[in-house]
Amino acid sequence: MMKKVAVVAGFLFLAASIGVVGAQTSRDYISIVGSSTVYPFATVVAEQFGKATKFKTPKIESTGSGGGFKLFCAGVGVEHPDITNASRAMKKTEFDTCQTNGVKEIVEVKIGYDGIVMANAKNAPEFNLTRKDIFLALAKQVPDPKGGETVVPNPYKTWKDVNSSLPNIKIEVLGPPPTSGTRDAFTELALEVGAEEFPWLKALNKSDNKKFKEIAHTVREDGAYVEAGENDNLIVQKLQTNTNALGVFGFSFLDQNTDKIKGAKIDGKVPTFENIASGAYPLSRPLFFYVKKAHVDVIPGIKDYLAEFSSEKAWGPDGYLAGKGMIPMPDDERKKYAAVVKNMTLLEMK
Amino acid sequence: MSSIHSTMTLASVTRPPTVDLVKSGLKRRYRAERRFRSYGMAAVIMSVLFLAFLFFSIVSKGYTAFQQTFIRLPIHFDPAEIDPTNPAAANYDGMIRQALLKRFPTVEGRNARRDLFALVSPGASFQLSAMARQDPSVIGRTVEVWLPANDDIDMLVKGQIDRDLPETERRLNNDQLEWVRSLQAENMIEKHFNRIFFTAGDSREPELAGIWGAAVGSFYTLLVTLVLSFPIGVAAAVYLQEFAPKNTWTDIIEVNINNLAAVPSIIFGLLGLAVFLNFFGLPRSTPLVGGLVLTLMTLPTIIIASRVALGAVPPSIREAALGVGASKTQVVLHHVLPLALPGVLTGAIIGMARALGETAPLLMIGMVAFIVDIPKGLTDPATALPVQIFLWADSPERGFVERTSAAIMVLLAFLIVMNATAIFLRRRFERRW
Amino acid sequence: MSPFTLFILLLGLSAAAYFVGRRKAFAVGRKIGGVNRMHSLPTYYGVLTALWCGIPALLIFSCWLMFESNVITSLVIAQLPEEIRSLPPNRLGLIINDITNLVHGNIVGGEVNRVIEQAAEHYRGLKAISHAALATVTLSLAILAVILVQSRISPRLRARNRVEQVFQMVLIACSCIAIVTTLSIVLSVLFEAIRFFRAVPISEFLFGLNWSPQLAIRADQVGSSGAFGAVPVFIGTLLISLIAMLVAVPIGLMAAIYLSEYAHKRVRDVAKPLLEILAGIPTVVYGFFAALMVAPLIRDTGGLLGLAVASESALAAGLVMGVMIIPFVSSLSDDVINAVPQALRDGAYALGATQSETIKQVVLPAALPGIVGSILLAVSRAIGETMIVVMAAGLAANMTFNPLQTVTTVTVQIVTLLIGDQEFDSPKTLAAFALGLLLFVVTLGLNIIALYVVRKYKEQYE
């Protein structure tokens, strides 16, 4: 009996030691996480980088901007990612988390612009939306339709209820979950601005910012807005089969699928490359990635990957990223961020 | 006596003889019989039809992926551009563009030229760079090279793009259609066997994407699974079946192992996430962790199959061996196990086939990242064949639809071979007691 | 020498030890008038020698290697300049990573400065010393063991018993792994689920009607309300499983009956393997098939009939899942029906029953416990199925029994909650574990009931 106990004990000890050994393995490839909007661009750069240099191709996971920041700010070390992609800027709270966990030196690089589109299937009715319509259709609480300065739970069921000029279709929007930067950008650029069309809400923003944010940012949960995960390609596919639904995602997905879906007009502007680049289309936001300076000289290839990403061949107006639907930055911004990459200028947030 | 007599007479008067009763019901019963039989046959035929429908739809979507469109262009390996000490770094994109412009000299304007250059795959330059690196004698010559076409052109040549749609709704404009037509007239654009599909790893461009990376990842994962689960599973089965005392503890263990075999595979993924990745800190997305998770999943199957095989060996064999003086271990090792081996092997092969097709647990441990390089070892990041199928199924490019179906065909081929081997083994070596 | 070569060498030595021991046994045997006068067969003496040679040496080998990298790393760190040594452990870890990459000949990040190079040289040197020492120790131990054991071989040495003891211990260890696995699955899922239930009360989870788990992930973000009432998700699972069983049970049962009672042997030989192929197809293929071909088909047909069919209807997922389960029901029922003795059937035929009447009134009732058991097992398979529903069912929790609408299931929610943001503190991630625990308990319950039903009502015919 004792012998058997000894054997079992020895075995478990052996098994536990494997864990000790396992934690010591080294990593010689770049680990990237983050936004699903930036994912198509980052993967193209990574593939080019891997083929053109002797470094291993970086491993890229699509976790959503928020999820990416969580993983990125968890600490410095081999088991944490080196770079995170984001479709919005890092927030102060995330910056603070990074600092607390030891990620003190962060380099922020803007890579280009992207539009947020609301698209539906090619053979579905056309939508001409204002941001006020979007707010009224998707917020959890809307101003009382009867008037006055109170909010009620959202009563609108069809787009026609919201605005009589819109088609008489049930409101069904497939959009990103809170981990997505697109969601944050959409809330800020569309819902907030739409809410401010109500003068009393605009005043509330100044007087009680927290309450205003609660009203403007909370999305309805009764099934009209469906959180469709980080996989924007899946949303495109679902739009084809469900002609009543609208999808919310980055412009690149519309650009790559013009034969299957079309974008809705927002405030009268069609989502096109030119409109977004010129700023005429209202829902446009910058794309970033963030690098841990501490990892740069230690994980092989980071400097070269950054150089590839910030080369004119990649992010320039004739570059291959523009071909994939990314709106390039104007010349002066490109120069600025190329210098940031070269000098590893650190991000500061007060 | 008389009352019985009278009842009998009464009965024989008011009721017809039993034979007639039976005869009149016969037709109805035979009809019911035929109906029932036809239901059974319909059920079997329906199942087979489902299978056929499944196979047919997948094959019809996927067989086109085994061919890839190539464009023949005369490429001038300009010695002025290529550095002989580092031939891989030259601007091969430029050389391809020059060749295209030479073929279609009338194309002017930045947009039109961009459309022209889009005929060839963006990865074609790497093919040229590899050529120059391997055979430096091409520098300075003009060589006819077959370059892979862009995935839209590939779809066009395979007839997947509707030429009759208005131009704005197509991914290819009229000029591009015209150029392809003229290339086809001169036999400069052809479909060849798609070797890239079998030798390349994942890619963002469908024409450069292949399943080799996923296949190698699956191989390493299954290797880990086999090396770990087969010995441990058979040993555990031998102990539980032959040596363990029969008490409540062993009963509980048996129930537990039977249940493990039916636990949804995603729970094993959760376990892998919680224990292997978080607690032990093993590297994410590697075949090592994938293999460990799949081992946990396959162990119960192998244990149950081995126990059944061991149990099927009749007690007379054991008693005979004991009778001539063998020890318990000798009985098991020399007599029972060899006789049960076909059943054990069949169970192992079926367990492996199940592990090959599993996706959900691998999703949980991170084998769902974009990985281009072919994994070279157990601790290189990798993906597996079913996970690759899952990832490609979400991609919007048309080229990926046919490649997903082709990858499914490859996976199914492997599985059918494995199952057929198992069935063959079972049939050949099974002994009837 | 490299560890791998050493490992092979040790194995080879053990093999050689086997032959040495065996030869010695024969030699000793000849002295006492025949090998059969010894306690065990010569093979056992050989195996005993091999075990003594190999096992201690290999144990030392693995322990040494396990701690080697840690020891060498600490020695190398001790030699690093002060400013590097005082870095926080994470930064130090990165430097070590660089050094190890350099040692292994991997590509290094950044410039290789003098300090790192020296450290790498140091590392290499230490490693070489360690390997040489390891080789010396293990090889000498192995050879010593062989010599010792070999000298102790005598007719009264009970080699077989020792060898069999070792064998049994190996078997027990392997069984322990299987048991530990079961326990660890239950424990890990339970542990995380308990953490979840501290944040969200069980009653809300089991009976709440509102499922919106996508919580805000930052303090200044506004997300969903974080309602974790799982009833809509359960209903979704039930609906899809119900549709699947409605497809699988009639077809599977009838196919089993036909194949075991009516079919010609040749038909059976062809049809059974085909059904097994249906069982072997990976579920991701079924999911792809359901999402791409079945769902649009159903939607278009519904449109033709004037019905409002959602694009990800429960019907599509349920149908394909049913097709996947047909082989389960069919093969399990087939075994049970075959086990009913021929005598029962013959008795019924003798009374003049047709084949279908025999089946309906004699065979099926006799086989009923087994069939019920197989149906329960199929239900538990349907409940636990993941890939088909991930690809073909929806993401919005919808509390409806209408098969033409979209529902979501427990397994889809587990996958959605865990892909991406995986912070193990938020109720959102832990909710996935709670769902997993629930799934485990339900399938366990179904399996136990199935086992119980079969055991209790099974007729003993002979």
Side-chain angles (χ1 to χ4, degrees), chain B residues 29 33 41 51 54 57 239 253 259 262-264 266-268 270-271 278 296 327 329-330 408 415, chain C residues 44 160 164 167 179 181 185 188 258 262 278 281 289 293 352 355-357 415 418 424 436 444 447:
Chain B
R29 288 166 60 203
E33 162 77 19
M41 196 150 53
L51 190 64
L54 185 77
S57 9
Y239 180 74
I253 293 174
N259 281 317
V263 162
I266 196 168
I267 308 271
F268 291 100
L270 288 180
L271 176 70
N278 285 349
L296 297 179
S327 72
T329 316
Q330 283 172 326
I408 293 179
L415 286 172
Chain C
Y44 285 105
R160 187 180 51 114
E164 290 185 353
F167 181 69
I179 299 169
T181 310
I185 289 184
S188 71
Y258 184 79
Y262 287 105
L278 211 57
I281 295 181
F289 181 61
M293 286 163 235
Q355 218 169 350
S356 64
E357 284 161 1
V415 171
L418 286 181
F424 272 76
L444 187 74
N447 290 338

Short mmCIF file of all heavy atoms in Angstrom, two decimals, chain B residues 29 33 41 51 54 57 239 253 259 262-264 266-268 270-271 278 296 327 329-330 408 415, chain C residues 44 160 164 167 179 181 185 188 258 262 278 281 289 293 352 355-357 415 418 424 436 444 447:
data_model
loop_
_atom_site.label_atom_id
_atom_site.label_comp_id
_atom_site.label_asym_id
_atom_site.label_seq_id
_atom_site.Cartn_x
_atom_site.Cartn_y
_atom_site.Cartn_z
N ARG B 29 -53.23 -7.17 -42.46
CA ARG B 29 -51.96 -7.35 -41.74
C ARG B 29 -50.79 -7.39 -42.69
O ARG B 29 -49.72 -6.86 -42.40
CB ARG B 29 -52.02 -8.63 -40.91
CG ARG B 29 -52.94 -8.47 -39.70
CD ARG B 29 -53.27 -9.79 -39.08
NE ARG B 29 -52.03 -10.43 -38.64
CZ ARG B 29 -51.90 -11.74 -38.47
NH1 ARG B 29 -52.92 -12.54 -38.71
NH2 ARG B 29 -50.77 -12.25 -38.05
N GLU B 33 -47.67 -4.98 -42.76
CA GLU B 33 -46.31 -5.49 -42.81
C GLU B 33 -45.49 -4.81 -43.89
O GLU B 33 -44.37 -4.37 -43.67
CB GLU B 33 -46.38 -7.01 -43.05
CG GLU B 33 -45.10 -7.65 -43.55
CD GLU B 33 -44.09 -7.84 -42.46
OE1 GLU B 33 -44.48 -7.82 -41.29
OE2 GLU B 33 -42.90 -7.98 -42.76
N MET B 41 -37.03 0.63 -44.84
CA MET B 41 -36.17 0.84 -45.99
C MET B 41 -36.03 2.32 -46.29
O MET B 41 -34.95 2.81 -46.61
CB MET B 41 -36.77 0.11 -47.20
CG MET B 41 -35.80 -0.05 -48.32
SD MET B 41 -36.11 -1.52 -49.30
CE MET B 41 -37.79 -1.30 -49.72
N LEU B 51 -26.21 11.45 -46.53
CA LEU B 51 -24.77 11.34 -46.69
C LEU B 51 -24.36 11.74 -48.10
O LEU B 51 -23.43 12.51 -48.32
CB LEU B 51 -24.35 9.89 -46.41
CG LEU B 51 -22.85 9.65 -46.31
CD1 LEU B 51 -22.29 10.41 -45.14
CD2 LEU B 51 -22.59 8.17 -46.15
N LEU B 54 -24.70 15.47 -48.62
CA LEU B 54 -23.60 16.16 -47.96
C LEU B 54 -22.34 16.08 -48.80
O LEU B 54 -21.71 17.09 -49.13
CB LEU B 54 -23.37 15.52 -46.59
CG LEU B 54 -22.34 16.17 -45.70
CD1 LEU B 54 -22.92 17.40 -45.09
CD2 LEU B 54 -21.90 15.22 -44.63
N SER B 57 -22.67 18.09 -52.15
CA SER B 57 -22.56 19.55 -52.06
C SER B 57 -21.14 19.98 -51.76
O SER B 57 -20.66 20.96 -52.31
CB SER B 57 -23.50 20.15 -51.02
OG SER B 57 -24.08 19.20 -50.25
N TYR B 239 -5.61 -2.49 -15.95
CA TYR B 239 -5.70 -2.52 -14.48
C TYR B 239 -7.15 -2.62 -14.02
O TYR B 239 -7.50 -3.46 -13.19
CB TYR B 239 -5.05 -1.27 -13.88
CG TYR B 239 -5.13 -1.28 -12.39
CD1 TYR B 239 -4.32 -2.13 -11.64
CD2 TYR B 239 -6.04 -0.47 -11.71
CE1 TYR B 239 -4.42 -2.17 -10.28
CE2 TYR B 239 -6.13 -0.51 -10.34
CZ TYR B 239 -5.32 -1.37 -9.63
OH TYR B 239 -5.41 -1.40 -8.28
N ILE B 253 -15.49 4.73 -10.27
CA ILE B 253 -14.52 5.06 -11.33
C ILE B 253 -15.09 4.69 -12.69
O ILE B 253 -14.97 5.44 -13.66
CB ILE B 253 -13.19 4.33 -11.09
CG1 ILE B 253 -12.53 4.88 -9.84
CG2 ILE B 253 -12.27 4.46 -12.27
CD1 ILE B 253 -11.31 4.14 -9.43
N ASN B 259 -18.87 8.47 -18.16
CA ASN B 259 -19.43 9.80 -18.35
C ASN B 259 -18.48 10.71 -19.10
O ASN B 259 -18.91 11.50 -19.93
CB ASN B 259 -19.73 10.44 -16.98
CG ASN B 259 -21.00 9.90 -16.43
OD1 ASN B 259 -21.96 9.78 -17.17
ND2 ASN B 259 -21.00 9.58 -15.18
N ALA B 262 -18.82 10.88 -22.64
CA ALA B 262 -19.98 11.58 -23.21
C ALA B 262 -19.97 13.06 -22.90
O ALA B 262 -20.87 13.76 -23.32
CB ALA B 262 -21.26 10.95 -22.68
N VAL B 263 -18.95 13.55 -22.19
CA VAL B 263 -18.92 14.97 -21.86
C VAL B 263 -18.67 15.77 -23.14
O VAL B 263 -17.84 15.38 -23.95
CB VAL B 263 -17.79 15.24 -20.85
CG1 VAL B 263 -17.43 16.70 -20.80
CG2 VAL B 263 -18.20 14.76 -19.48
N PRO B 264 -19.38 16.87 -23.33
CA PRO B 264 -19.16 17.66 -24.54
C PRO B 264 -17.71 18.11 -24.63
O PRO B 264 -17.12 18.49 -23.64
CB PRO B 264 -20.08 18.88 -24.35
CG PRO B 264 -21.04 18.50 -23.32
CD PRO B 264 -20.44 17.44 -22.49
N ILE B 266 -16.28 20.63 -25.51
CA ILE B 266 -15.91 22.00 -25.18
C ILE B 266 -15.50 22.11 -23.71
O ILE B 266 -14.70 22.97 -23.35
CB ILE B 266 -17.07 22.96 -25.51
CG1 ILE B 266 -16.55 24.37 -25.52
CG2 ILE B 266 -18.21 22.82 -24.53
CD1 ILE B 266 -17.52 25.32 -26.11
N ILE B 267 -16.03 21.22 -22.87
CA ILE B 267 -15.65 21.24 -21.45
C ILE B 267 -14.16 20.92 -21.32
O ILE B 267 -13.47 21.51 -20.49
CB ILE B 267 -16.47 20.21 -20.66
CG1 ILE B 267 -17.94 20.42 -20.93
CG2 ILE B 267 -16.16 20.28 -19.19
CD1 ILE B 267 -18.61 21.36 -20.03
N PHE B 268 -13.65 20.01 -22.15
CA PHE B 268 -12.23 19.73 -22.12
C PHE B 268 -11.44 20.96 -22.51
O PHE B 268 -10.34 21.19 -22.02
CB PHE B 268 -11.89 18.57 -23.05
CG PHE B 268 -12.42 17.26 -22.59
CD1 PHE B 268 -13.58 16.74 -23.12
CD2 PHE B 268 -11.78 16.55 -21.59
CE1 PHE B 268 -14.09 15.54 -22.68
CE2 PHE B 268 -12.27 15.34 -21.15
CZ PHE B 268 -13.43 14.83 -21.69
N LEU B 270 -12.35 24.01 -21.85
CA LEU B 270 -12.35 24.85 -20.65
C LEU B 270 -11.29 24.38 -19.67
O LEU B 270 -10.56 25.18 -19.09
CB LEU B 270 -13.71 24.81 -19.96
CG LEU B 270 -14.87 25.52 -20.64
CD1 LEU B 270 -16.12 25.37 -19.82
CD2 LEU B 270 -14.55 26.98 -20.81
N LEU B 271 -11.20 23.06 -19.51
CA LEU B 271 -10.20 22.50 -18.60
C LEU B 271 -8.80 22.87 -19.08
O LEU B 271 -7.96 23.31 -18.30
CB LEU B 271 -10.35 20.99 -18.55
CG LEU B 271 -9.29 20.28 -17.70
CD1 LEU B 271 -9.53 20.58 -16.25
CD2 LEU B 271 -9.34 18.79 -17.93
N ASN B 278 -3.51 28.61 -17.87
CA ASN B 278 -3.42 29.55 -16.76
C ASN B 278 -2.55 29.04 -15.63
O ASN B 278 -1.72 29.76 -15.11
CB ASN B 278 -4.82 29.85 -16.21
CG ASN B 278 -5.57 30.77 -17.15
OD1 ASN B 278 -4.98 31.33 -18.05
ND2 ASN B 278 -6.85 30.92 -16.93
N LEU B 296 -6.88 14.09 -23.02
CA LEU B 296 -7.91 13.96 -21.99
C LEU B 296 -9.23 13.52 -22.59
O LEU B 296 -9.99 12.78 -21.98
CB LEU B 296 -8.10 15.30 -21.28
CG LEU B 296 -6.90 15.82 -20.52
CD1 LEU B 296 -7.24 17.15 -19.90
CD2 LEU B 296 -6.49 14.83 -19.45
N SER B 327 1.13 -16.71 -13.60
CA SER B 327 0.72 -15.71 -12.62
C SER B 327 -0.29 -14.79 -13.29
O SER B 327 -0.45 -14.79 -14.50
CB SER B 327 1.92 -14.91 -12.14
OG SER B 327 2.34 -14.07 -13.17
N THR B 329 -0.25 -11.63 -13.87
CA THR B 329 0.33 -10.75 -14.88
C THR B 329 0.64 -11.50 -16.15
O THR B 329 0.44 -11.02 -17.25
CB THR B 329 1.63 -10.13 -14.34
OG1 THR B 329 1.40 -9.70 -13.02
CG2 THR B 329 2.07 -8.98 -15.19
N GLN B 330 1.14 -12.74 -15.99
CA GLN B 330 1.46 -13.52 -17.17
C GLN B 330 0.21 -13.85 -17.97
O GLN B 330 0.21 -13.81 -19.20
CB GLN B 330 2.18 -14.81 -16.78
CG GLN B 330 3.62 -14.59 -16.43
CD GLN B 330 4.26 -15.83 -15.87
OE1 GLN B 330 3.63 -16.61 -15.18
NE2 GLN B 330 5.53 -15.99 -16.14
N ILE B 408 -12.21 20.49 -46.50
CA ILE B 408 -13.11 19.49 -45.91
C ILE B 408 -12.94 18.16 -46.61
O ILE B 408 -12.93 17.10 -45.97
CB ILE B 408 -14.57 19.97 -46.00
CG1 ILE B 408 -14.77 21.18 -45.11
CG2 ILE B 408 -15.52 18.87 -45.59
CD1 ILE B 408 -16.16 21.72 -45.15
N LEU B 415 -10.18 10.88 -42.68
CA LEU B 415 -11.03 10.18 -41.72
C LEU B 415 -11.56 8.88 -42.28
O LEU B 415 -11.63 7.88 -41.58
CB LEU B 415 -12.19 11.09 -41.33
CG LEU B 415 -11.76 12.21 -40.39
CD1 LEU B 415 -12.87 13.18 -40.19
CD2 LEU B 415 -11.36 11.61 -39.07
N TYR C 44 12.75 -13.09 -16.98
CA TYR C 44 12.45 -12.20 -15.86
C TYR C 44 13.70 -11.66 -15.21
O TYR C 44 13.73 -10.50 -14.78
CB TYR C 44 11.58 -12.93 -14.82
CG TYR C 44 10.17 -13.07 -15.28
CD1 TYR C 44 9.68 -14.29 -15.74
CD2 TYR C 44 9.31 -11.98 -15.31
CE1 TYR C 44 8.40 -14.42 -16.19
CE2 TYR C 44 8.03 -12.09 -15.75
CZ TYR C 44 7.56 -13.30 -16.20
OH TYR C 44 6.29 -13.42 -16.65
N ARG C 160 10.53 -12.71 -10.92
CA ARG C 160 9.22 -12.51 -11.54
C ARG C 160 8.33 -11.67 -10.66
O ARG C 160 7.65 -10.76 -11.12
CB ARG C 160 8.59 -13.86 -11.83
CG ARG C 160 7.30 -13.75 -12.61
CD ARG C 160 6.75 -15.09 -12.86
NE ARG C 160 6.69 -15.79 -11.60
CZ ARG C 160 5.58 -16.16 -11.01
NH1 ARG C 160 4.44 -15.90 -11.57
NH2 ARG C 160 5.61 -16.78 -9.87
N GLU C 164 6.72 -8.14 -11.72
CA GLU C 164 5.28 -7.97 -11.79
C GLU C 164 4.80 -6.86 -10.88
O GLU C 164 3.84 -6.15 -11.19
CB GLU C 164 4.59 -9.30 -11.45
CG GLU C 164 4.81 -10.31 -12.54
CD GLU C 164 4.05 -11.60 -12.28
OE1 GLU C 164 3.48 -11.74 -11.19
OE2 GLU C 164 4.05 -12.44 -13.19
N PHE C 167 5.33 -3.73 -12.75
CA PHE C 167 4.32 -3.66 -13.78
C PHE C 167 2.99 -3.16 -13.22
O PHE C 167 2.34 -2.28 -13.78
CB PHE C 167 4.17 -5.04 -14.40
CG PHE C 167 3.17 -5.11 -15.51
CD1 PHE C 167 3.41 -4.49 -16.72
CD2 PHE C 167 1.98 -5.80 -15.35
CE1 PHE C 167 2.50 -4.55 -17.74
CE2 PHE C 167 1.06 -5.86 -16.37
CZ PHE C 167 1.32 -5.24 -17.57
N ILE C 179 -8.29 8.82 -13.46
CA ILE C 179 -9.16 9.28 -12.38
C ILE C 179 -8.92 10.76 -12.09
O ILE C 179 -9.86 11.53 -11.91
CB ILE C 179 -8.94 8.45 -11.12
CG1 ILE C 179 -9.26 7.00 -11.42
CG2 ILE C 179 -9.78 8.96 -9.98
CD1 ILE C 179 -8.84 6.07 -10.35
N THR C 181 -7.94 12.95 -14.07
CA THR C 181 -8.56 13.75 -15.13
C THR C 181 -10.01 14.04 -14.82
O THR C 181 -10.44 15.19 -14.88
CB THR C 181 -8.51 12.99 -16.46
OG1 THR C 181 -7.20 12.53 -16.68
CG2 THR C 181 -8.93 13.89 -17.60
N ILE C 185 -11.41 17.83 -14.09
CA ILE C 185 -12.42 18.51 -14.91
C ILE C 185 -13.50 19.05 -14.01
O ILE C 185 -13.85 20.23 -14.06
CB ILE C 185 -13.05 17.55 -15.93
CG1 ILE C 185 -12.04 17.22 -17.00
CG2 ILE C 185 -14.27 18.17 -16.56
CD1 ILE C 185 -12.61 16.36 -18.07
N SER C 188 -12.09 21.93 -11.66
CA SER C 188 -11.75 23.23 -12.25
C SER C 188 -13.01 23.96 -12.68
O SER C 188 -13.15 25.15 -12.44
CB SER C 188 -10.81 23.05 -13.44
OG SER C 188 -11.49 22.48 -14.52
N TYR C 258 -34.82 -2.11 -39.61
CA TYR C 258 -34.73 -2.67 -40.96
C TYR C 258 -33.44 -3.45 -41.13
O TYR C 258 -33.43 -4.57 -41.63
CB TYR C 258 -34.81 -1.55 -41.99
CG TYR C 258 -34.82 -2.06 -43.41
CD1 TYR C 258 -35.97 -2.58 -43.98
CD2 TYR C 258 -33.66 -2.05 -44.17
CE1 TYR C 258 -35.99 -3.06 -45.27
CE2 TYR C 258 -33.66 -2.54 -45.47
CZ TYR C 258 -34.82 -3.04 -46.01
OH TYR C 258 -34.82 -3.53 -47.28
N TYR C 262 -34.81 -7.10 -41.38
CA TYR C 262 -35.27 -7.36 -42.73
C TYR C 262 -34.15 -7.48 -43.74
O TYR C 262 -34.27 -8.16 -44.73
CB TYR C 262 -36.18 -6.21 -43.20
CG TYR C 262 -37.53 -6.19 -42.58
CD1 TYR C 262 -37.84 -5.25 -41.60
CD2 TYR C 262 -38.52 -7.08 -42.96
CE1 TYR C 262 -39.08 -5.21 -41.03
CE2 TYR C 262 -39.76 -7.03 -42.40
CZ TYR C 262 -40.05 -6.11 -41.44
OH TYR C 262 -41.28 -6.05 -40.89
N LEU C 278 -21.28 8.38 -41.49
CA LEU C 278 -22.07 9.54 -41.07
C LEU C 278 -21.69 9.96 -39.66
O LEU C 278 -21.64 11.14 -39.35
CB LEU C 278 -23.55 9.15 -41.12
CG LEU C 278 -24.57 10.23 -41.44
CD1 LEU C 278 -24.26 10.88 -42.76
CD2 LEU C 278 -25.95 9.64 -41.49
N ILE C 281 -18.08 11.93 -39.47
CA ILE C 281 -17.82 13.23 -40.11
C ILE C 281 -17.66 14.29 -39.01
O ILE C 281 -18.48 14.36 -38.11
CB ILE C 281 -18.98 13.61 -41.03
CG1 ILE C 281 -19.05 12.61 -42.19
CG2 ILE C 281 -18.82 15.01 -41.57
CD1 ILE C 281 -20.13 12.92 -43.16
N PHE C 289 -21.96 22.92 -43.55
CA PHE C 289 -23.05 22.48 -44.40
C PHE C 289 -24.36 23.15 -43.99
O PHE C 289 -25.11 23.67 -44.81
CB PHE C 289 -23.15 20.96 -44.26
CG PHE C 289 -24.21 20.32 -45.09
CD1 PHE C 289 -24.19 20.40 -46.45
CD2 PHE C 289 -25.23 19.61 -44.49
CE1 PHE C 289 -25.15 19.80 -47.22
CE2 PHE C 289 -26.20 19.00 -45.25
CZ PHE C 289 -26.17 19.09 -46.61
N MET C 293 -25.71 25.76 -46.69
CA MET C 293 -26.64 25.16 -47.64
C MET C 293 -28.03 24.94 -47.08
O MET C 293 -29.02 25.24 -47.75
CB MET C 293 -26.06 23.83 -48.13
CG MET C 293 -24.93 24.08 -49.10
SD MET C 293 -23.94 22.63 -49.32
CE MET C 293 -22.34 23.20 -48.92
N GLY C 352 -48.18 -17.30 -35.50
CA GLY C 352 -48.79 -16.76 -36.71
C GLY C 352 -48.63 -15.26 -36.89
O GLY C 352 -49.30 -14.65 -37.71
N GLN C 355 -43.92 -10.44 -39.50
CA GLN C 355 -42.65 -9.93 -38.99
C GLN C 355 -42.84 -8.58 -38.29
O GLN C 355 -42.30 -8.34 -37.22
CB GLN C 355 -41.66 -9.78 -40.15
CG GLN C 355 -40.28 -10.17 -39.75
CD GLN C 355 -39.35 -10.29 -40.94
OE1 GLN C 355 -39.77 -10.26 -42.11
NE2 GLN C 355 -38.09 -10.43 -40.67
N SER C 356 -43.64 -7.71 -38.90
CA SER C 356 -43.79 -6.39 -38.29
C SER C 356 -44.51 -6.50 -36.96
O SER C 356 -44.19 -5.79 -36.00
CB SER C 356 -44.54 -5.45 -39.23
OG SER C 356 -45.85 -5.91 -39.44
N GLU C 357 -45.48 -7.41 -36.88
CA GLU C 357 -46.17 -7.57 -35.61
C GLU C 357 -45.23 -8.10 -34.54
O GLU C 357 -45.27 -7.67 -33.38
CB GLU C 357 -47.37 -8.50 -35.78
CG GLU C 357 -48.53 -7.82 -36.47
CD GLU C 357 -49.49 -8.82 -37.05
OE1 GLU C 357 -49.25 -10.03 -36.87
OE2 GLU C 357 -50.48 -8.40 -37.67
N VAL C 415 -18.78 29.45 -26.06
CA VAL C 415 -17.75 29.82 -27.04
C VAL C 415 -17.66 31.34 -27.19
O VAL C 415 -16.58 31.92 -27.15
CB VAL C 415 -18.04 29.16 -28.40
CG1 VAL C 415 -17.10 29.70 -29.45
CG2 VAL C 415 -17.88 27.67 -28.30
N LEU C 418 -15.93 33.16 -24.33
CA LEU C 418 -14.53 32.87 -24.04
C LEU C 418 -13.58 33.20 -25.18
O LEU C 418 -12.38 33.19 -25.00
CB LEU C 418 -14.35 31.40 -23.66
CG LEU C 418 -14.84 31.07 -22.27
CD1 LEU C 418 -14.60 29.62 -21.99
CD2 LEU C 418 -14.12 31.90 -21.25
N PHE C 424 -10.27 36.57 -16.07
CA PHE C 424 -10.92 35.57 -15.25
C PHE C 424 -11.56 36.13 -14.00
O PHE C 424 -11.88 35.39 -13.09
CB PHE C 424 -9.91 34.48 -14.86
CG PHE C 424 -9.87 33.40 -15.89
CD1 PHE C 424 -9.24 33.61 -17.09
CD2 PHE C 424 -10.52 32.21 -15.70
CE1 PHE C 424 -9.23 32.64 -18.06
CE2 PHE C 424 -10.52 31.23 -16.67
CZ PHE C 424 -9.87 31.45 -17.84
N GLY C 436 -20.83 25.78 -18.41
CA GLY C 436 -20.15 24.51 -18.62
C GLY C 436 -20.47 23.52 -17.51
O GLY C 436 -20.70 22.33 -17.78
N LEU C 444 -24.22 14.37 -17.28
CA LEU C 444 -23.94 13.33 -16.30
C LEU C 444 -25.24 12.67 -15.84
O LEU C 444 -25.37 11.45 -15.79
CB LEU C 444 -23.20 13.94 -15.11
CG LEU C 444 -22.70 12.96 -14.07
CD1 LEU C 444 -21.49 12.26 -14.63
CD2 LEU C 444 -22.33 13.68 -12.80
N ASN C 447 -26.72 10.47 -18.46
CA ASN C 447 -25.99 9.20 -18.61
C ASN C 447 -26.28 8.25 -17.47
O ASN C 447 -26.44 7.05 -17.67
CB ASN C 447 -24.48 9.47 -18.68
CG ASN C 447 -24.10 10.14 -19.98
OD1 ASN C 447 -24.83 10.05 -20.96
ND2 ASN C 447 -22.99 10.83 -19.98
#
